Amino acid sequence: MSEAVLTRTTPRLSAGEALAGWMLTAPAAIAFLLMLLAPTLATIALAFTDYELGAPALNWIGLENFAELLQDRGVAIALRNTILYVAIVAPASVLGGLALALLIEAGTRGRAAFRAVFFLPVVSLPVAMAAAWQYLLHPTIGPLNAALRAIGIAGPNWLSSSDTVLISLAAIGVWENIGFNLVLFLAGLTAIPRELYAAAEVDGASRAWDRFRLVTWPLLGPTTLFVVTITMTRAVRVFDSVAVLTQGGPNKASEVLLYAMYEEGFTYFRLGYSAAITLVFLAIVLALVWLQTRVMERRIHYV
């Protein structure tokens, strides 16, 4: 008996169906082109020119902007401040969000209320919240220093001292990000089957720490990877609190990469140089995402 070879043919779309498909995808494609791809390509092109805002023409200067970046002390300070900010905000936000999620998940009442309270900073206007923090951290009339004075401690000038300004901004960053991470971790905890905890307890994991180490933490791997990636990205692109509260001061002690890019482009009108800083910023973000994905992906258990 001879074997029959079965071939599966893909039905061809008619001209009308193809046109309908293109029409349905056209709005998203046009929005992607105009709002993302075109500005990105324009930024890449400007980074290799000496264009200044309002200038009638521009000149192609190759890598001169990047050579200047390597010698620019202001950009070096902004890069250092950005790294320090991320080093404080990212771990504190991730660990704090996880700890709060575990506490709320372990409770029996008020889960929705706690989620709403901690998520409030995420849905609030950054500029309005920055103004509120400016009052809270005011050296003379601020409630924080008033509380410190009540116990005999002289509070510092949080936002006007080079020693405390970056730490103050990092604390605000943690406050802004921890609620978002909390909600994500709560979603991850809810997805873990309860039967696994019972099985772990039968196998001898009677303590809460053992159940967390053997069940919760491994199964939170995908959620943790997502949370770390989002938190790192949000921390690197800090801008609103710096622009409203410190404007990069005092003495550039709080200047970060995005604010340096903004100053070069819209204060000194050097759009070409600002575009070069933007490319460096994008390269750092992509490198961070690639690195943490490569490192954490190997330790993640998908279920």
Side-chain angles (χ1 to χ4, degrees), residues 1-245:
M1 182 177 181
S2 61
E3 295 182 359
V5 179
L6 299 178
T7 59
R8 181 178 297 178
T9 59
T10 303
R12 289 188 176 183
L13 295 177
S14 65
E17 291 174 334
L19 179 61
W22 280 108
M23 291 181 64
L24 289 172
T25 58
I30 294 173
F32 175 79
L33 178 65
L34 295 180
M35 301 181 65
L36 184 63
L37 187 59
T40 302
L41 295 176
T43 300
I44 295 174
L46 284 176
F48 299 94
T49 69
D50 63 350
Y51 182 67
E52 296 185 1
L53 191 63
L58 54 85
N59 298 313
W60 183 267
I61 60 174
L63 298 175
E64 290 185 19
N65 284 330
F66 298 95
E68 184 180 348
L69 274 175
L70 295 176
Q71 301 176 355
D72 192 333
R73 183 173 176 270
V75 172
I77 293 174
L79 178 60
R80 182 199 65 188
N81 290 338
T82 303
I83 293 173
L84 289 175
Y85 181 89
V86 174
I88 297 173
V89 172
S93 300
V94 173
L95 295 177
L98 176 59
L100 289 173
L102 291 171
L103 290 174
I104 293 175
E105 183 67 16
T108 57
R109 296 181 180 179
R111 294 184 184 181
F114 280 115
R115 281 198 297 263
V117 168
F118 285 109
F119 196 72
L120 183 62
V122 181
V123 297
S124 302
L125 292 176
V127 175
M129 292 297 99
W133 277 104
Q134 190 172 32
Y135 165 70
L136 292 172
L137 299 176
H138 195 278
T140 55
I141 64 173
L144 181 56
N145 275 4
L148 291 176
R149 284 194 299 268
I151 59 176
I153 300 175
N157 198 339
W158 298 100
L159 297 175
S160 299
S161 171
S162 299
D163 298 327
T164 58
V165 62
L166 194 60
I167 297 175
S168 301
L169 291 175
I172 297 173
V174 172
W175 175 80
E176 290 175 342
N177 287 281
I178 199 170
F180 187 72
N181 295 343
L182 162 69
V183 172
L184 294 177
F185 276 123
L186 279 175
L189 290 171
T190 304
I192 298 176
R194 302 296 100 180
E195 296 83 1
L196 295 179
Y197 291 105
E201 191 168 357
V202 170
D203 290 338
S206 57
R207 295 184 303 172
W209 168 250
D210 292 331
R211 291 193 295 271
F212 172 80
R213 180 174 57 88
L214 298 173
V215 179
T216 305
W217 182 243
L219 295 181
L220 274 181
T223 303
T224 304
L225 175 61
F226 180 74
V227 169
V228 170
T229 302
I230 292 297
T231 305
M232 294 279 284
T233 304
R234 287 165 62 96
V236 169
R237 59 183 179 85
V238 57
F239 175 79
D240 295 329
S241 57
V242 175
V244 174
L245 296 176

